[in-house]
Amino acid sequence: MALRTIQLLHEPLPKEKVALAELAALAKQTTSELNSLPPIHASERDVWTIMDLLAFIKSDELELSFIHDGDWVRVSSSNFANLPYWFERSFDKETRRLRYEESVAGFEPVGLVIALVEKNGGTVFAELSGDSTYSLSFTLPVYREEL
């Protein structure tokens, strides 16, 4: 999985109109009404890879929620355990943004998620829930028809 993701980072796929409601596997991870969301502008394979990476590190309590937030679709998840060792240096406490560092993306699922989200024009945010748990949310741009 990690090697395939690294290949996506170095050989970007074209962005397209992706309807989240058509990605049937997402319905199993959320109670959000996917049909009410606008399509996003991303590579469908990148979206699948991001979701696979989140499933790789998820706990039994993890649930994804999807919210239309203006020009963005925000995806939120919670109850991740064991902060990555690099979290402190990648986390901006003021903005709550997690930034991609190539040095940690190699085989770290969260690092790969950050890299793919940023490559698709989005941002990853984190919220500390305690010493060893945290929540992640990220945005992906809403698809707009070209004029």
Side-chain angles (χ1 to χ4, degrees), residues 5-66:
T5 305
I6 291 169
Q7 183 180 7
L8 285 175
L9 293 172
H10 293 289
E11 298 172 14
L13 296 172
K15 294 180 185 179
E16 58 193 331
K17 181 179 180 180
V18 179
L20 295 172
E22 294 175 8
L23 306 179
L26 293 183
K28 296 176 183 175
Q29 288 185 279
T30 185
T31 57
S32 299
E33 182 55 51
L34 296 177
N35 287 325
S36 67
L37 297 173
I40 58 171
H41 192 215
S43 156
E44 184 174 331
R45 185 161 177 206
D46 286 351
V47 173
W48 275 117
T49 303
I50 290 165
M51 297 307 166
D52 282 347
L53 288 164
L54 289 172
F56 176 72
I57 58 175
K58 79 175 195 171
S59 69
D60 291 338
E61 295 82 33
L62 178 69
E63 180 179 302
L64 298 175
S65 65
F66 297 82

Side-chain angles (χ1 to χ4, degrees), residues 14 48 98 120:
W48 275 117
L98 269 176
N120 282 284

Side-chain angles (χ1 to χ4, degrees), residues 82-98:
N82 304 319
L83 287 174
Y85 69 92
W86 50 268
F87 190 93
E88 289 277 329
R89 71 174 187 259
S90 301
F91 181 60
D92 182 326
K93 291 179 184 178
E94 188 173 311
T95 63
R96 296 185 0 242
R97 181 177 177 183
L98 269 176

